[in-house]
Amino acid sequence: MDFHLTEIKNAHLFIEYLMCSGIKSPRSRSEDWELVEKDRVIARIKKDHNGIAKFFICAALLGRK
């Protein structure tokens, strides 16, 4: 996992962070997804080994938008 990403435990809060930063939400919160900007991951949804979706953001970069 990228060390610059912070896990967000709540899916609704994750989507709220994206919306407040002007980022279009992914269609599904249960499928793997990532947003890359300038060769760096900004946000990611990744299933763990149990199939549970985990939500990650790069808080430093989202705060600059």
Side-chain angles (χ1 to χ4, degrees):
M1 186 53 58
D2 296 292
F3 293 108
H4 68 280
L5 297 176
T6 302
E7 184 175 359
I8 305 297
K9 300 281 186 178
N10 183 296
H12 296 291
L13 185 57
F14 174 79
I15 297 301
E16 187 72 22
Y17 279 130
L18 295 180
M19 288 185 343
C20 289
S21 298
I23 298 170
K24 186 178 177 184
S25 300
R27 292 182 186 185
S28 172
R29 295 181 209 160
S30 61
E31 297 179 21
D32 288 351
W33 171 87
E34 79 178 12
L35 173 67
V36 178
E37 188 174 284
K38 297 181 183 175
D39 297 328
R40 190 157 189 186
V41 177
I42 304 297
R44 175 183 287 151
I45 300 173
K46 183 81 174 160
K47 287 186 184 177
D48 67 8
H49 61 280
N50 294 321
I52 298 171
K54 302 265 186 173
F55 306 91
F56 302 90
I57 61 166
C58 178
L61 292 178
L62 286 176
R64 295 182 190 157
K65 291 196 177 273

